[in-house]
Amino acid sequence: MSDSYLYNGQRPDDHVASCPDCGAAVALLDQPGTAVPPPPALRAAVLSMARRRRSPAAVGVAGVATPYAEQVAVMDELLAELSAPQWEAPIARHGTVRGLVEHLTANDATVAAFMGLPGRDAGAPPHRRWREQAGSLLERVSASSEVLMGVEVSLAGARPARAPLRQAMIQRTFETWTHADDIRAATDRSRAAPRPEHVHMIAEFGLALLPRAMRGPRRDVSATIVLTGPGGGTWTIPLSPASDHVAVLISADAVGFCRLLADRWPPGSFPYAAEGDPSLARDLIRAAATLGCDR
């Protein structure tokens, strides 16, 4: 406290002498090895006061660009590790790892074209084609405005659907993770889950699409989905605009549910608990398994 500055017209030592709070703080600093933990409620109190002064900022472009960047980096590292024989390892839905990467590149291309990116170099190796396109897409999205995030684009998948660019980028994150896990399984590597907050985001993306994936006439009810574990949460999904009450509550693991959404967990063996209408619960689980990008 010996720097030569003034605080409200006082020198530091004069201020400390006349201020009980600062005096107590200096006394603590002068006692080496006597760290005092903050009160347990301090963090909550500070955050509460901060939020009263200013609401949390809305999730912007970074909210969807960052998860995609992480999955692109993970996939890039994984592909760089593959041996020549591993590129030809069989994968049921796409023939080989090479075919899967070409499929992912083609699905990414829909959003890339919307963002004005040039077409892919057909003569380049699959890893380079995918990586260059994904990197350019990430750069273009990261530099875009929040307004653009709300513009509708086509989603990947057999079911024709359009959604805001924000949702399309979540789907790109979801599919990149899913196919990285496919490659891990095909090359005897362990599966890996995204960060919990990204699992939550993927689950929310799939649940928003769930009502339109239901077959048959829409029922005038809602369903509550409780996902547990890292990335979990609770959502109540109206199955029609006129839904008047919750007819079923389904509980399942959050990461497992995301794998169900990708059709990587057969709906007939997916573990879940349900209260209420068991038939509706089965229909919802079957519908969830149709929301992947392979069909």
Side-chain angles (χ1 to χ4, degrees), residues 71-164:
Q71 290 306 315
V72 166
V74 168
M75 175 69 92
D76 190 30
E77 183 177 350
L78 175 60
L79 294 180
E81 293 175 354
L82 297 182
S83 64
Q86 287 176 328
W87 274 93
E88 307 308 323
I91 288 184
R93 292 172 171 83
H94 305 290
T96 63
V97 169
R98 182 182 304 277
L100 180 148
V101 174
E102 291 171 347
H103 157 82
L104 177 60
T105 306
N107 278 357
D108 289 346
T110 301
V111 182
F114 171 80
M115 297 299 293
L117 296 174
R120 309 180 305 278
D121 178 4
H127 182 186
R128 198 180 92 192
R129 289 203 308 273
W130 166 78
R131 184 61 183 85
E132 289 181 354
Q133 178 177 259
S136 297
L137 175 58
L138 180 60
E139 288 178 7
R140 191 67 59 88
V141 168
S142 298
S144 66
S145 68
E146 180 65 19
V147 173
L148 188 62
M149 290 291 106
V151 177
E152 285 199 345
V153 300
S154 296
L155 296 178
R159 292 174 178 267
R162 293 180 65 80

Side-chain angles (χ1 to χ4, degrees), residues 217-243:
R218 291 197 175 189
R219 300 175 58 178
D220 293 336
V221 296
S222 297
T224 294
I225 312 295
V226 179
L227 300 181
T228 60
T234 300
W235 295 264
T236 296
I237 311 298
L239 301 183
S240 81
S243 59

Side-chain angles (χ1 to χ4, degrees), residues 60-73:
V61 175
V64 294
T66 299
Y68 181 59
E70 289 194 16
Q71 290 306 315
V72 166

Side-chain angles (χ1 to χ4, degrees), residues 1-5 11-13:
M1 300 291 289
S2 59
D3 293 341
S4 56
Y5 71 94
R11 295 189 58 80
D13 292 341

